[in-house]
Every structure is written in C-alpha cells, then in structure tokens.
Amino acid sequence: MTYCVGMMLDRGLVLMSDTRTNSGVDNISTFRKMVHWEIPGERIISVMTAGNLATTQAVISQLEERTKAPAERHNSLLEAPTMFKVASIVGNLLQDIIEERATDNGQKAAAGTFSASMIVAGQIKGMEPRLFLIYPEGNFIEASFDTPFFQIGETKYGRPILIRGYDRDMSFESAVKLMTVSFDSTLKANLSVGLPLDLLVIERDNFAPRHERRIEASDPYFQSVSTSWSEALRNALDGLPDYRMDPALKEVSG
C-alpha cells in the first residue's frame, strides 16, 4: 500500500508521497513513488503512483524513455501542448500496460491484480497549474477549488485532517505542515505506509521545484510535528466537556 497527496493552492501545488512497498510483513522495501520532469522556464510535470509496483514502474520507465528519444517526442510529456494532454498520455499508457499485463498472464488473470492509480500535477507556460487523478481504466478527473486535493493509496486516515485544515490561501509552509500531520496520522494507523516521505512544492509560474526534499524518520521537523500533534490532541480532548455518568440524568427521547 502507499499514500500520496496532491494539493492545489492559490500559490501553486504541493505534493507528498511515502516510499513503502510490501507484499507481506516480511517483504518490505522502499521505492520512490514521485517523479518529475522539467524544462526550465517552460514546464514542470510531476507524477505520483500507487498500486502494483511492476505496473507503475513500467509506466514511469516508458514516460522517462519518451523524454529521451526525439523520435518518440509526439508521446512525450515534454512536448504535450497542455496539461490535459499530459493526463491523457499518462492515462492511456496506464490502461495499456494494465491490459497488456493481464493478457500476458492468461485469460484468467484479473486486471485488478495489476491495477494502479496516479496523480499528475504541473504547469505549462501560459496556462494554469493543474492537478489530475488518473484511474486504472485510463480516465481521469481534474481538481478544482471545490475538490482541491487528491489522494491515492491508503487515504482514509489522513483525509479528515486535510478536509478540516485546508485553505486555498494558505502558505506553502502551512500546506506542508498540514500534509505532515495527515501523513503522521496515516503512518500511525497503517503499517503499509512508511517513511521516508518525498515532498515537492511547485510555485505558480516558476517552472522548477520551489522546494524539494526527502523526509527521513530521523527528520527533526517531522518528529516535532508528530509529537506536538499528539500532545495537541490530548490537550484538546482534556478541554472538551466531561461526560457525566450520573444515574439521575435521564436520556432525552425525541
């Protein structure tokens, strides 16, 4: 399992992913699930992946090869005229690879065995930053300020935090803090999501990473946020009205 989040802000885009993959408790590995390509001053595009590792690696490898081979540039993310076209290229390739893997493994192989989903984010000069969620079938949806973030992988534990804390006007620093809390909650609830985390900040009209780093388990900021969040939750709980187990109080029925 994995956990990845892509978020839209007025200032640009913030992306974070974990790096854990596992096929059982005794087979846990670390793989990068976030990649990006850029042409300075012209475009920056990032892809995050969740699902079958062989499928996602095949998609990323083919996208990478297309950026290097001039003869294949008509299918390259570096030549796509719009971010919508970028999402179409990634979606079509994902669908093709899933179908190919299912066919190669016989008619009885379920396509779901090779399933994967992706988040595509970025900006091309002269256009708005855009964020897409790509489904295994190859179709996709686009984020808006009504639906300002996408999650893939193990989404349920970190989603309530994002919903309560998100503000489109928030700074990049606040967005990273919010994501860090979301990931910390997910890490504590599900062992299939794990450190280190990869972080990428894409500032509007700045076609290079505004900020990029890997957050290790020993990272002082991550440890501080994790500890402070736990303490804040305990303090908030203590500050709520106490429940009274008083037999003299009767339940009010409607």
Side-chain angles (χ1 to χ4, degrees):
M1 188 55 75
T2 189
Y3 183 39
C4 302
V5 180
M7 179 180 291
M8 289 182 59
L9 302 174
D10 284 338
R11 292 170 171 78
L13 302 162
V14 182
L15 313 175
M16 187 178 283
S17 68
D18 86 317
T19 55
R20 176 167 292 181
T21 62
N22 68 291
S23 55
V25 295
D26 59 347
N27 188 12
I28 297 174
S29 302
T30 296
F31 284 90
R32 180 176 290 275
K33 301 169 188 176
M34 180 195 300
V35 296
H36 77 270
W37 299 267
E38 61 185 277
I39 299 177
E42 198 272 328
R43 72 179 60 200
I44 181 168
I45 297 165
S46 181
V47 176
M48 293 187 291
T49 65
N52 181 274
L53 184 61
T55 298
T56 58
Q57 286 193 321
V59 172
I60 296 302
S61 294
Q62 289 200 34
L63 292 173
E64 181 68 26
E65 287 301 310
R66 291 177 183 182
T67 67
K68 297 177 181 178
E72 297 294 332
R73 284 291 175 89
H74 62 283
N75 285 323
S76 170
L77 303 187
L78 299 183
E79 293 291 326
T82 65
M83 283 300 300
F84 184 90
K85 180 61 176 177
V86 168
S88 297
I89 291 171
V90 175
N92 291 337
L93 182 56
L94 176 60
Q95 180 188 34
D96 290 345
I97 288 177
I98 291 175
E99 291 179 351
E100 178 184 309
R101 295 295 169 86
T103 300
D104 289 346
N105 283 270
Q107 294 182 350
K108 293 184 179 180
T113 304
F114 309 99
S115 182
S117 55
M118 300 186 170
I119 292 174
V120 174
Q123 185 181 13
I124 296 173
K125 188 175 182 179
M127 305 176 193
E128 289 291 304
R130 299 176 77 175
L131 179 69
F132 299 90
L133 173 60
I134 315 293
Y135 295 105
E137 296 79 10
N139 56 333
F140 54 86
I141 57 174
E142 182 173 3
S144 67
F145 283 114
D146 291 325
T147 308
F149 62 85
F150 288 137
Q151 303 166 279
I152 53 176
E154 189 55 77
T155 63
K156 56 184 176 290
Y157 301 109
R159 184 173 181 81
I161 293 166
L162 298 177
I163 291 173
R164 287 177 178 269
Y166 173 82
D167 186 330
R168 61 182 289 178
D169 293 328
M170 68 198 314
S171 66
F172 285 134
E173 292 82 0
S174 293
V176 171
K177 179 166 59 176
L178 178 62
M179 281 194 180
T180 302
V181 173
S182 177
F183 272 78
D184 179 64
S185 298
T186 303
L187 290 167
K188 284 182 167 54
N190 193 312
L191 294 177
S192 68
V193 178
L195 292 152
L197 309 177
D198 287 321
L199 168 66
L200 178 66
V201 177
I202 301 174
E203 187 174 21
R204 175 186 291 270
D205 299 326
N206 182 17
F207 304 99
R210 170 68 173 78
H211 181 73
E212 182 181 13
R213 66 176 296 197
R214 172 159 284 196
I215 301 171
E216 303 284 353
S218 60
D219 184 88
Y221 176 74
F222 183 86
Q223 291 182 343
S224 176
V225 169
S226 178
T227 300
S228 298
W229 178 246
S230 296
E231 292 175 353
L233 285 176
R234 286 192 291 269
N235 291 335
L237 181 63
D238 290 342
L240 293 175
D242 290 332
Y243 179 77
R244 294 179 58 191
M245 297 180 62
D246 187 343
L249 295 176
K250 303 296 184 180
E251 183 179 352
V252 178
S253 58

